[in-house]
Amino acid sequence: MTKATKLLTALPPPQRERLMTLAREVYFPEDDRIFDAGGTADRFWVVRSGAVSLLQQVTSRQRVTVATLGAGDMLGWSWLFPPYQWDFSAEAFSPVRAYEFEAQPVLKLCEEEPALGLSLVRIVAEILAHRLEMTRGKLLEAYSMPRRGRL
């Protein structure tokens, strides 16, 4: 199983400091929809406090919480990959404080500082691998049926 990676602690201090110059502090009240699957992905967040639910719509009437993110977790990777649309929906499970980063300034910084860009992409890839593994587990848990009559 992959391990949970925290973006800001995984970046080397000079790169973290550089990225943080682009951060803006934001707040989401409980039950606030942060983004919807299919919407334009033009930013990401690092949760400072509170909890965020990542939701996957599985039928027209049912959605599954595939992950709950907390302090230090990165929310959103779709800003980095075409077609730049959210793969999941996100909702504040409790009041949330976060650092918000707009995609374009971050991408520009990555072009100006390729070492930072490479570090960022590697860390996001680790986060993505872990989240996909968690999502797979949650969906299997939600939809696996116990076999009857077998030991």
Side-chain angles (χ1 to χ4, degrees), residues 72-90:
D73 288 328
M74 179 182 182
L75 171 62
W77 64 69
S78 299
W79 60 276
L80 195 51
F81 308 104
Y84 309 106
Q85 294 179 324
W86 299 117
D87 292 314
F88 299 95
S89 297

Side-chain angles (χ1 to χ4, degrees), residues 11 15 110-111 113-125:
L11 278 173
Q15 292 177 354
C110 289
E111 287 178 13
E113 298 184 27
L116 187 151
L118 181 59
S119 293
L120 184 64
V121 168
R122 284 182 173 162
I123 294 164
V124 171

Side-chain angles (χ1 to χ4, degrees), residues 50-114:
V52 176
S53 297
L54 283 181
L55 308 163
Q56 178 67 58
Q57 196 76 34
V58 290
T59 68
S60 61
R61 288 187 249 155
Q62 184 180 13
R63 62 184 186 174
V64 173
T65 298
V66 294
T68 302
L69 308 180
D73 288 328
M74 179 182 182
L75 171 62
W77 64 69
S78 299
W79 60 276
L80 195 51
F81 308 104
Y84 309 106
Q85 294 179 324
W86 299 117
D87 292 314
F88 299 95
S89 297
E91 195 171 276
F93 183 75
S94 67
V96 173
R97 295 194 183 284
Y99 293 118
E100 182 178 79
F101 299 86
E102 291 184 29
Q104 287 307 313
V106 172
L107 292 169
K108 184 173 187 264
L109 177 62
C110 289
E111 287 178 13
E112 293 169 356
E113 298 184 27

Side-chain angles (χ1 to χ4, degrees), residues 16-41:
R16 179 177 51 243
E17 290 168 14
R18 206 51 196 109
L19 181 64
M20 288 304 294
T21 65
L22 303 177
R24 174 174 85 97
E25 292 186 34
V26 296
Y27 171 79
F28 299 102
E30 183 175 348
D31 296 327
D32 196 27
R33 187 59 67 102
I34 300 170
F35 57 80
D36 289 306
T40 301

